[in-house]
Structures are given as structure tokens and as C-alpha cells.
């Protein structure tokens, strides 16, 4: 059958039981579950010209499958989430590795026993590694805070090296911070992995959709009870009705085509944009991507290289490692982080979490508190950072709640 695309002006609201805003994992899982398990007629509203949210991928001009909104590697310990996505496509085993470019020398990230030998030389590394094992045990992830808490100058030396050469400059670029502004709580979580396991993730279930993410979403939304309106912004579809003229007055109804919509509304977009930023925009970091195609089989030694001490970009991804494609050419993508200033031309990727920004978000969230049928779900709608598997799990849990 394929995905049923529609134009919102042609939609009969009387034949819609539920509305989902956004077609990433949060929205697409909810649409499928409401239609399949709940028997509901679901309308999906997507402001982009394609489905799949930030997971959208496509073939570039060189025939290389590229991720248009940054690399997405699926990994999870949640068997239900993994089994769910496996319903809709075949998967290939893929264990992601990341290297740091340390002044032209490649070093595994997270920092581990192999990184230790590169940084300190084999003899000193053997001594430091044994000290780590004696203090914390083998095959452990130990944070910088734990290292410094030992009051041992050699363990502090490891912590300082990781901080200066793996963490600091990368974090400054990623978040637009000075060294003084880097939150100590973030620094505290930076680990050394007492292991020779070079994988970036150690989750039980890891892999990539064999034919790409876009076909996965096409199959997920391929259901007779789902119709999808692309190039449609929620703000143009919803007519918000408030309890009073007070700026902080909560919603009394969300109207569609001049009447209240009382079915479930699953909202996965930025909450401040729904309210036309009446309290000001929520702060995010955005990204720019620069693609390069090279007439060679590979440019990098692995899927991703982080530039932790040099360059303006944070990392380079080479997609053929992720997708398993074989080709004479290869496409790489350089990633630049910057402030989120213009919702019309930029994409919000990372919420900038702080007490002040959380309070800012909660002020928007309070506007929806009176509507039992309104469900914000996902990174943007909840102003949180979630991995893909967590979003799938949260969507399935909400579906359980709504349809039983």
C-alpha cells in the first residue's frame, strides 16, 4: 500500500481519531501503535518534506547512503525497543568505533587501555593501567572525579590528560563554551574505560537498518489507519484557545478546522514553537553539516573521528562504515556546532540544560497542563536529551497507557 500522503486542506477532521505531530521515532511509533493496536484513524503532521525526523537518510549524488541530520547508530539494552524496530526492516550487525584525532595520531574514545599506550607509551601505560586495575578493578568505567578522589598524582595525571586532550576543546566547540563555563558535573562523567574494548557502546543490542532508516519509517507508517501531511506546521493547523487573556493562562482547547479536537494529540515538536515563542525561544545548539565525496574506498579508519584538540569542526563521519555499502567512492561529513538562532533555517538538536532553561520550559509545559489529551513526547517536546531506543521505549509505554 505504501505511506498514505495527504494535503491538510483535504482532511476530514470527523474521520480523525488521533493527531501526531512529527514523524521521527516518537511520532511514528505512536502513530503505528494508535492505528494498529488502538484501531484509531491517525493523522500525522510533519513540517519537513519527508518522514523520519532526524533519522532521515538518502542516497547522495555519488550513490552513498548518507544521514542528513548527523550519524545515528542504534544501540540499546531494551529488548522490547530492539524487537520493535526489527519488525519493520532487516538489520545488520554494526559495532561503532570512535577515534580521537590527537594532533594527527588516532586514539580510541572512550579513553581505554589502548589509548593509554598511545598517550603514555607502553611501559608507563602498563604501570598506570595496573594501578587502575588495583584501585578500581578490570573492565570498569572510571570517571575523572573518581580518579581525582584517590588523591594519587598518577591517577590525577590520567584525569588531567583526558580532560585536556579528549574532553575540553571538543566540549567548547560542541556547546560554545569557554573552559571556565564547562559544567563540572559534565566533566565528572568523562570516563576512562579499563578495557581493550574499542567499541563506543557496550549495549547488548547494536546495529543499523540494512536498507537505511527511511525505508524503516516508510514501513512503520504504512498502515491503512495512518495518513501523513508533509510540509505542514502544527502552528498552521492548531488554533489554540486559552482560558483567559493572561499570558500564563493555560489552554482550554486545541481547535482544528474551527472545532475542538478531543482525541489524543501526540506532540513531538519544540513546545515553545507551538506557542509562537510567547515567553522567548528555548535555547538549543544547532549543527551544520559539510559533505565531501572522495574517489577512494575509505578516508577514515573507522566510522567517526572526533577532533578533540584541533579543527573548527567537532567530528567527521564516514557513512560507508555505518551502512556497510561497498563502492569505489566514499562520502564523509564534517560537523560544526553553533547557536540556534533562526527556526526557519536551522534545526534544534541539543537542549542546553540548566535550572534556568528547565524553568523556562516548564512555563511552556504549564500552558498544556489542563488538556488531558495533549501528550508532549520526545527530545524537543520534553526539552531533554534521549537516545533513539529511549524514545521508542517511551512511545511504547505511552501507547500502552492510551490503548492498553
Amino acid at each position: 500500500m505504501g505511506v498514505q500522503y495527504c494535503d491538510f486542506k483535504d482532511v476530514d477532521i470527523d474521520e480523525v481519531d488521533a493527531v501526531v505531530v512529527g514523524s521521527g521515532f516518537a511520532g511514528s511509533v505512536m502513530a503505528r501503535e494508535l492505528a494498529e493496536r488502538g484501531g484509531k484513524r491517525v493523522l500525522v503532521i510533519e513540517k519537513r518534506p519527508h518522514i523520519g525526523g532526524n533519522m532521515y537518510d538518502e542516497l547522495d549524488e555519488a550513490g552513498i547512503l548518507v544521514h542528513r541530520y548527523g550519524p545515528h547508530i542504534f544501540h540499546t539494552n531494551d529488548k522490547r525497543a530492539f524487537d520493535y524496530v526489527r519488525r519493520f526492516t532487516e538489520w545488520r550487525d554494526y559495532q561503532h568505533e570512535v577515534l580521537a584525532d590527537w594532533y594527527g595520531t588516532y586514539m580510541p574514545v572512550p579513553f581505554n587501555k589502548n589509548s593509554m599506550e598511545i598517550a603514555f607509551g607502553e611501559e608507563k601505560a602498563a604501570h598506570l593501567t595496573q594501578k587502575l586495575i588495583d584501585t578500581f578493578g578490570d573492565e570498569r568505567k572510571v570517571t575523572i572525579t573518581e580518579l581525582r578522589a584517590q588523591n594519587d598524582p598518577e591517577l590525577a595525571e590520567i584525569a588531567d590528560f583526558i580532560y585536556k586532550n579528549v574532553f575540553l576543546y571538543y566540549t567548547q566547540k560542541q556547546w560554545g563554551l569557554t573552559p571556565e563555563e564547562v559544567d563540572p558535573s559534565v566533566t565528572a562523567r568523562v570516563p576512562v574505560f579499563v578495557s581493550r574494548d574499542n567499541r563506543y557502546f557496550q549495549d547488548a543490542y547494536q546495529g543499523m537498518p540494512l536498507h537505511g532508516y527511511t525505508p524503516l519509517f516508510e514501513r512503520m507508517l504504512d498502515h491503512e489507519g495512518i495518513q501523513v501531511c508533509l510540509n505542514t506546521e502544527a502552528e498552521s493547523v492548531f488554533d489554540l484557545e486559552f482560558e483567559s487573556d493572561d499570558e500564563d493562562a493555560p489552554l482550554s482547547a486545541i481547535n482544528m478546522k474551527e472545532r475542538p479536537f478531543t482525541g489524543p494529540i501526540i506532540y513531538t515538536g519544540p513546545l515553545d514553537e507551538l506557542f509562537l515563542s510567547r515567553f522567548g525561544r528555548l535555547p538549543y545548539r544547532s549543527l551544520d553539516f559539510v559533505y565531501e565525496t572522495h574517489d577512494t574506498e575509505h578516508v577514515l579508519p573507522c566510522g567517526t573521528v572526533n577532533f578533540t584538540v584541533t579543527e573548527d569542526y567537532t567530528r567527521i563521519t564516514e557513512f560507508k562504515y555505518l551502512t556497510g555499502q561497498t563502492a569505489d567512492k566514499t562520502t564523509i561529513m564534517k560537523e560544526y556546532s553553533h547557536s540556534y538562532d533562526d527556526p526557519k533555517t536551522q534545526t534544534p538538536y541539543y537542549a542546553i540544560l540548566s535550572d534556568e532553561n528547565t524553568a523556562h520550559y516548564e512555563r511552556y509545559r504549564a500552558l498544556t497542563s489542563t488538556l488531558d489529551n495533549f501528550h508532549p513526547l520526545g527530545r524537543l517536546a520534553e526539552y531533554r536529551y534521549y537516545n533513539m531506543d529511549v524514545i521508542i521505549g517511551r512511545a511504547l509505554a505511552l501507547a500502552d497507557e492510551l490503548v492498553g
Side-chain angles (χ1 to χ4, degrees):
M1 179 175 65
V3 180
Q4 300 180 77
Y5 292 105
C6 61
D7 190 316
F8 183 72
K9 71 177 186 299
D10 300 323
V11 172
D12 184 350
I13 294 299
D14 291 331
E15 294 185 0
V16 175
D17 302 315
V19 174
V20 174
V21 177
S23 64
F25 269 125
S28 294
V29 170
M30 284 302 305
R32 181 72 184 213
E33 290 296 284
L34 290 172
E36 188 172 64
R37 273 205 286 159
K40 295 186 182 298
R41 297 164 297 181
V42 182
L43 174 65
V44 177
I45 296 168
E46 171 56 63
K47 75 179 197 177
R48 287 171 171 166
H50 59 74
I51 60 172
N54 287 352
M55 281 64 63
Y56 176 73
D57 52 16
E58 63 178 352
L59 296 176
D60 67 5
E61 292 182 358
I64 305 301
L65 184 63
V66 298
H67 298 183
R68 286 302 183 193
Y69 302 93
H72 288 83
I73 295 95
F74 195 89
H75 59 98
T76 187
N77 289 312
D78 183 344
K79 188 173 186 302
R80 186 188 184 194
F82 190 49
D83 286 345
Y84 190 80
V85 292
R86 286 199 298 174
R87 286 183 53 195
F88 302 102
T89 186
E90 296 176 78
W91 286 73
R92 66 180 293 264
D93 179 57
Y94 174 70
Q95 311 285 316
H96 192 52
E97 292 188 14
V98 176
L99 296 172
D101 183 302
W102 179 50
Y103 300 108
T105 297
Y106 289 132
M107 179 185 300
V109 176
F111 196 89
N112 63 16
K113 292 178 182 178
N114 299 320
S115 312
M116 194 88 71
E117 291 175 357
I118 294 167
F120 296 107
E122 288 191 17
E123 184 176 345
K124 185 173 182 179
H127 169 71
L128 293 175
T129 298
Q130 191 57 53
K131 177 166 278 195
L132 284 169
I133 294 170
D134 292 342
T135 307
F136 301 103
D138 207 8
E139 298 298 319
R140 278 267 338 268
K141 284 189 177 177
V142 184
T143 66
I144 283 180
T145 296
E146 290 177 289
L147 292 177
R148 288 180 172 151
Q150 301 303 309
N151 196 28
D152 182 306
E154 289 183 317
L155 295 181
E157 182 182 5
I158 300 171
D160 289 342
F161 181 89
I162 296 171
Y163 177 74
K164 292 174 183 175
N165 294 283
V166 178
F167 171 78
L168 180 59
Y169 183 51
Y170 187 91
T171 301
Q172 286 178 253
K173 290 187 288 186
Q174 181 75 359
W175 295 102
L177 302 172
T178 65
E180 293 75 26
E181 292 171 326
V182 176
D183 193 321
S185 68
V186 178
T187 310
R189 297 194 296 270
V190 178
V192 54
F193 189 15
V194 190
S195 174
R196 291 198 181 275
D197 185 348
N198 284 343
R199 296 178 304 161
Y200 196 70
F201 309 110
Q202 281 72 47
D203 300 70
Y205 310 103
Q206 302 187 40
M208 296 289 290
L210 184 61
H211 305 293
Y213 281 101
T214 300
L216 183 160
F217 284 95
E218 288 172 343
R219 291 167 189 161
M220 195 179 294
L221 293 172
D222 181 0
H223 188 280
E224 61 185 2
I226 300 173
Q227 53 182 331
V228 180
C229 292
L230 298 178
N231 299 302
T232 305
E233 294 190 355
E235 305 92 275
S236 69
V237 166
F238 293 149
D239 178 20
L240 306 183
E241 198 171 300
F242 297 90
E243 291 189 351
S244 74
D245 292 334
D246 185 272
E247 190 178 47
D248 285 289
L251 289 169
S252 57
I254 294 180
N255 300 319
M256 294 178 66
K257 296 201 171 182
E258 300 182 343
R259 52 188 178 277
F261 186 81
T262 57
I265 298 173
I266 313 300
Y267 184 83
T268 72
L271 203 55
D272 55 328
E273 289 186 14
L274 177 65
F275 294 99
L276 306 179
S277 303
R278 64 164 53 191
F279 306 135
R281 284 205 304 270
L282 290 169
Y284 289 91
R285 292 294 284 176
S286 189
L287 299 170
D288 284 336
F289 305 111
V290 176
Y291 296 85
E292 297 175 1
T293 297
H294 296 263
D295 291 318
T296 184
E297 189 174 354
H298 284 294
V299 171
L300 303 180
C302 64
T304 297
V305 172
N306 290 351
F307 288 81
T308 59
V309 288
T310 62
E311 311 305 337
D312 293 334
Y313 43 85
T314 54
R315 59 181 178 177
I316 298 178
T317 295
E318 185 169 357
F319 293 104
K320 281 169 59 179
Y321 285 104
L322 280 60
T323 64
Q325 275 185 290
T326 56
D328 294 335
K329 295 185 177 183
T330 190
T331 297
I332 63 172
M333 183 188 73
K334 295 176 179 176
E335 197 166 314
Y336 295 83
S337 179
H338 57 81
S339 60
Y340 175 61
D341 303 311
D342 184 1
K344 294 190 181 302
T345 61
Q346 297 174 334
T347 300
Y349 286 98
Y350 303 111
I352 302 175
L353 299 180
S354 67
D355 291 344
E356 180 183 359
N357 292 345
T358 298
H360 190 177
Y361 165 78
E362 290 298 338
R363 192 179 180 193
Y364 279 112
R365 181 71 179 94
L367 298 178
T368 71
S369 61
T370 52
L371 296 185
D372 293 337
N373 66 324
F374 184 87
H375 306 278
L377 179 67
R379 280 187 182 192
L380 299 176
E382 298 181 65
Y383 201 68
R384 296 281 299 277
Y385 181 88
Y386 292 122
N387 285 329
M388 291 182 286
D389 64 316
V390 176
I391 288 294
I392 293 164
R394 290 179 65 79
L396 290 173
L398 179 57
D400 291 342
E401 181 183 323
L402 295 182
V403 306

